[in-house]
Amino acid sequence: EGEPSQYKLNDLAIEGLQGTGTMDGESWGIDVMLIYTGDGGCICISAVADSAGNTYDKTFEDIAASLHKI
């Protein structure tokens, strides 16, 4: 949904997309990040049911804070 966002995190260039979906009648939020590490990169995909609320916010913040170029 919408245009990709571009930002820096811990000196890593990131492009992200966000969207929504439905599985078994339940709404989900979906995030895809393309993380560029210089010569390569990786893809990070997360999907969380809306019913989980903010339960996983701290987990995602901790994961993002741990990402660094090596």
Side-chain angles (χ1 to χ4, degrees), residues 1 4-5 8 10 22-23 27 35 39 42 46 49-50 53 55 57-59 61:
E1 298 171 358
S5 57
K8 288 270 198 185
N10 301 334
T22 303
M23 184 169 66
S27 296
I35 305 168
D39 292 335
C42 65
S46 67
D50 289 351
T55 303
D57 286 357
K58 176 73 171 119
T59 302
E61 290 170 12

Side-chain angles (χ1 to χ4, degrees), residues 14-15 17 20 23 26-27 32 45 48 55 57 63 68:
I14 297 176
E15 289 190 51
L17 293 168
T20 58
M23 184 169 66
E26 186 170 14
S27 296
V32 177
I45 301 170
V48 177
T55 303
D57 286 357
I63 291 170
H68 297 278

